[in-house]
C-alpha cells in the first residue's frame, strides 16, 4: 500500500481512531471505541451560542498513560469549511490562564503547548481532517500561533503522502511516554510554520503583507458574523458607525481594520528594525503619524492586547511573525535603490495597496 492510501480515507472519528492505533501506534487502553473518550457539551467549555452552533460534537480522548500531560480533543464541526474562529475559541477555553478569577470553572486546563486538537469538517463525501496545535511565543509577549496539518480524500497523492509521513514520523506514540519533555518536543515538531520564506525585497514584502491583510479582513468578517451585539469587534464597529461613517458595513470595517493593522505593524517594524515587541507595538509608531498611532492602538486592544480577542484569532500574529523574520535591512535597501527620494514608511503604502486591492489602487491614481 502506498503511503498516501493509509490516510486518504481517514475522514471521521472511527477511521481516525483506527489510523491512530494502526499507523501511529497510539496505545489506547480500551478496545471499544465508546470507552476511549469523554463527551463534552459546548456549554461546558464556556462557549457562546454562536460558536456552539458550529459544533456537532466535542470529545476528549482519555489519557494514553497515567502521567500524560497532553490534552487531546476531537471536534466534529458542521458540514462547512473549518470555522477557524470557533476552533481557536475552544482552544482558548482550555489553556491555563495566567490569572485566575473567582468564578473560573473547575474544568481541566492545559499548558498551551500540551493541547492537541483533531477535527473534521466539510461535506460528507469530502470530510477534511485537521490536527491543530498552539505554539507558545511568550518571550515576545504571549502571542500564540495556531499551526495545522490537514487533508481530505481529494488532495493529491503528494499532499497525502507528506501528511502521512509527517504524522508517522512525529506523532507516533513515544518510545518513553514517561519522558514528558521528549514527548512534547517530538509531537510539537510536527507543526511548522506555513510560510517559512524570509522576505528580502520590497516586492516580496508587499505581496506577503497584502496576503496576510486579506486574511485578517476575512477573519474579522468571520468574527463579526460569529459575535453577538455585545462582542468586542461588533461594539467597535458600532462606535465607528456613530462617530465617523454611519453606513459603515461589516466588510468595509474589516477592510479598515486589516489595512490599519498590517500597515501599522509595518510602520512600527520600519521604525524599529531590531524587532517588534508585543506589549508596545503601537508605541513604536513614529510621533509624526499620530492618527495611525492612535488607530492602531485602538485596534490592537480589540485584537488581543486587552485579552478581548486572541491575536491569532484574527491572523494578526501571522503579520507579526512575518515581519520579525523579514530581513528589513535588505528590504529597505531594495526599496531605496528603486525609490531613492521616497520615505518608505509613507510611500510603501502604495506598493502594499497595489497588491492588497488593485481596484482601490486604480481609484486612488
Amino acid at each position: 500500500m502506498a503511503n498516501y492510501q493509509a490516510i486518504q480515507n481517514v475522514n471521521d472519528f472511527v477511521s481516525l481512531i483506527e489510523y491512530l492505533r494502526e499507523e501511529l501506534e497510539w496505545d489506547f487502553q480500551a478496545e471499544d471505541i465508546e470507552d476511549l473518550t469523554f463527551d463534552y457539551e459546548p456549554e461546558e467549555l464556556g462557549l457562546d451560542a454562536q460558536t456552539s452552533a458550529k459544533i456537532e460534537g466535542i470529545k476528549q480522548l482519555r489519557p494514553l498513560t497515567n502521567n500524560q500531560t497532553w490534552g487531546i480533543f476531537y471536534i466534529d464541526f458542521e458540514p462547512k469549511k473549518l470555522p477557524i474562529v470557533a476552533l481557536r475559541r475552544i482552544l482558548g477555553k482550555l489553556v491555563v490562564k495566567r490569572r485566575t478569577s473567582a468564578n473560573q470553572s473547575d474544568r481541566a486546563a492545559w499548558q498551551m503547548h500540551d493541547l492537541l486538537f483533531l477535527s473534521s469538517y466539510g461535506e460528507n463525501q469530502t470530510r477534511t481532517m485537521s490536527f491543530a496545535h498552539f505554539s507558545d511565543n511568550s518571550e515576545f509577549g504571549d502571542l500564540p500561533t495556531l499551526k495545522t496539518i490537514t487533508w481530505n480524500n481529494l488532495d493529491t497523492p503528494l499532499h497525502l503522502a507528506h501528511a502521512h509521513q509527517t504524522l508517522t514520523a512525529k506523532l507516533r506514540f513515544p518510545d518513553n511516554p514517561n519522558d514528558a519533555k521528549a514527548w512534547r518536543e517530538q509531537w510539537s515538531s510536527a507543526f511548522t510554520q506555513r510560510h517559512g520564506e524570509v522576505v528580502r525585497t520590497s516586492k516580496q514584502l508587499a505581496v506577503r503583507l497584502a496576503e496576510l491583510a486579506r486574511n485578517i479582513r476575512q477573519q474579522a468578517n468571520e468574527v463579526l458574523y460569529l459575535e453577538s451585539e455585545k462582542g468586542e469587534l461588533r461594539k467597535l464597529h458600532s462606535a465607528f458607525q456613530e462617530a465617523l461613517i454611519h453606513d459603515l458595513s461589516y466588510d468595509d470595517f474589516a477592510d479598515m481594520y486589516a489595512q490599519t493593522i498590517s500597515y501599522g505593524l509595518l510602520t512600527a517594524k520600519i521604525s524599529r528594525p531590531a524587532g517588534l515587541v508585543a506589549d508596545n507595538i503601537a508605541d513604536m509608531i513614529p510621533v509624526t503619524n499620530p492618527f495611525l498611532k492612535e488607530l492602531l492602538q485602538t485596534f490592537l486592544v480589540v485584537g488581543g492586547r486587552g485579552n478581548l480577542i486572541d491575536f491569532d484569532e484574527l491572523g494578526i500574529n501571522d503579520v507579526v511573525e512575518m515581519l520579525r523574520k523579514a530581513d528589513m535591512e535588505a528590504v529597505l535597501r531594495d526599496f531605496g535603490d528603486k525609490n531613492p527620494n521616497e520615505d518608505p514608511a509613507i510611500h510603501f503604502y502604495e506598493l502594499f495597496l497595489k497588491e492588497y486591492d488593485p481596484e482601490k489602487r486604480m481609484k486612488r491614481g
Side-chain angles (χ1 to χ4, degrees):
M1 175 182 291
N3 279 345
Y4 76 88
Q5 292 177 317
I7 203 172
Q8 186 173 27
N9 294 316
V10 177
N11 56 12
D12 59 16
F13 184 67
V14 173
S15 58
L16 175 62
I17 291 297
E18 182 180 356
Y19 178 79
L20 296 175
R21 194 195 303 268
E22 299 298 326
E23 301 294 332
L24 305 191
E25 300 177 356
W26 283 24
D27 189 16
F28 293 114
Q29 299 301 307
E31 290 297 326
D32 191 334
I33 196 169
E34 297 296 327
D35 296 330
L36 298 181
T37 63
F38 306 105
D39 288 336
Y40 280 79
E41 293 297 328
E43 294 75 16
E44 292 182 74
L45 298 181
L47 300 174
D48 55 61
Q50 288 86 355
T51 304
S52 301
K54 295 179 178 294
I55 300 169
E56 297 289 341
I58 303 176
K59 300 178 182 291
Q60 180 190 350
L61 272 67
R62 294 176 184 270
L64 303 172
T65 67
N66 292 330
N67 58 348
Q68 177 179 316
T69 61
W70 284 87
I72 307 171
F73 288 79
Y74 175 79
I75 310 295
D76 185 11
F77 287 109
E78 64 179 5
K80 295 180 180 179
K81 68 176 184 178
L82 178 64
I84 299 295
V85 172
L87 177 59
R88 288 170 176 165
R89 289 190 176 184
I90 295 169
L91 288 165
K93 294 295 183 180
L94 295 170
V95 173
V96 173
K97 301 297 188 296
R98 292 183 176 181
R99 298 177 181 177
T100 58
S101 60
N103 60 359
Q104 185 173 352
S105 73
D106 294 330
R107 64 174 176 268
W110 288 263
Q111 296 298 324
M112 187 182 305
H113 50 228
D114 285 338
L115 275 168
L116 178 66
F117 272 69
L118 322 175
S119 59
S120 61
Y121 59 94
E123 300 300 333
N124 290 335
Q125 301 304 314
T126 56
R127 294 288 285 179
T128 294
M129 299 299 300
S130 172
F131 281 51
H133 177 254
F134 266 137
S135 66
D136 186 357
N137 295 329
S138 57
E139 70 271 23
F140 293 119
D142 75 2
L143 301 179
T145 301
L146 182 66
K147 303 175 185 180
T148 61
I149 299 170
T150 62
W151 74 91
N152 65 41
N153 64 339
L154 298 182
D155 283 324
T156 64
L158 183 63
H159 178 98
L160 292 167
H162 180 264
H164 175 65
Q165 289 164 5
T166 300
L167 293 174
T168 53
K170 304 296 186 180
L171 278 138
R172 189 181 299 277
F173 193 72
D175 294 332
N176 180 10
N178 293 320
D179 188 342
K181 182 175 183 294
W183 190 352
R184 180 179 298 121
E185 290 177 353
Q186 175 190 327
W187 278 20
S188 299
S189 67
F191 300 89
T192 58
Q193 286 296 87
R194 289 172 295 175
H195 304 284
E197 179 184 6
V198 176
V199 170
R200 291 188 173 88
T201 70
S202 54
K203 174 69 173 179
Q204 286 178 328
L205 184 57
V207 170
R208 187 75 186 101
L209 190 66
E211 178 185 345
L212 295 175
R214 288 192 296 270
N215 181 61
I216 292 176
R217 180 176 179 174
Q218 179 181 348
Q219 296 290 75
N221 268 304
E222 186 174 348
V223 170
L224 288 166
Y225 163 76
L226 182 66
E227 284 185 338
S228 68
E229 293 299 325
K230 296 181 180 179
E232 298 300 332
L233 208 59
R234 280 214 191 174
K235 287 193 294 186
L236 188 57
H237 168 259
S238 297
F240 271 74
Q241 278 186 317
E242 294 177 8
L244 296 174
I245 307 172
H246 298 308
D247 60 348
L248 184 66
S249 68
Y250 281 162
D251 186 59
D252 286 342
F253 175 74
D255 178 34
M256 179 194 306
Y257 190 98
Q259 288 197 50
T260 300
I261 290 287
S262 302
Y263 185 65
L265 291 174
L266 173 64
T267 303
K269 176 66 174 180
I270 291 173
S271 70
R272 306 283 181 85
L276 295 174
V277 180
D279 291 328
N280 66 345
I281 286 176
D283 294 337
M284 297 168 69
I285 301 293
V287 294
T288 54
N289 199 336
F291 177 75
L292 178 61
K293 188 182 187 77
E294 182 177 353
L295 192 60
L296 181 64
Q297 180 64 57
T298 299
F299 283 164
L300 286 178
V301 168
V302 181
R305 305 321 305 155
N307 295 319
L308 302 176
I309 295 177
D310 196 306
F311 243 62
D312 194 46
E313 180 172 272
L314 290 172
I316 298 170
N317 196 45
D318 290 339
V319 178
V320 173
E321 291 208 349
M322 184 274 290
L323 291 172
R324 280 185 178 139
K325 293 178 180 179
D327 187 342
M328 192 56 65
E329 289 186 3
V331 170
L332 295 177
R333 190 163 54 246
D334 174 68
F335 186 91
D337 290 342
K338 295 181 175 66
N339 310 275
N341 298 319
E342 295 185 3
D343 180 347
I346 297 175
H347 296 284
F348 191 95
Y349 183 66
E350 293 294 330
L351 188 59
F352 159 72
L353 189 59
K354 181 179 179 180
E355 299 294 335
Y356 174 75
D357 191 340
E359 291 184 5
K360 189 171 292 186
R361 170 66 172 80
M362 293 298 293
K363 291 177 182 177
R364 285 174 58 90

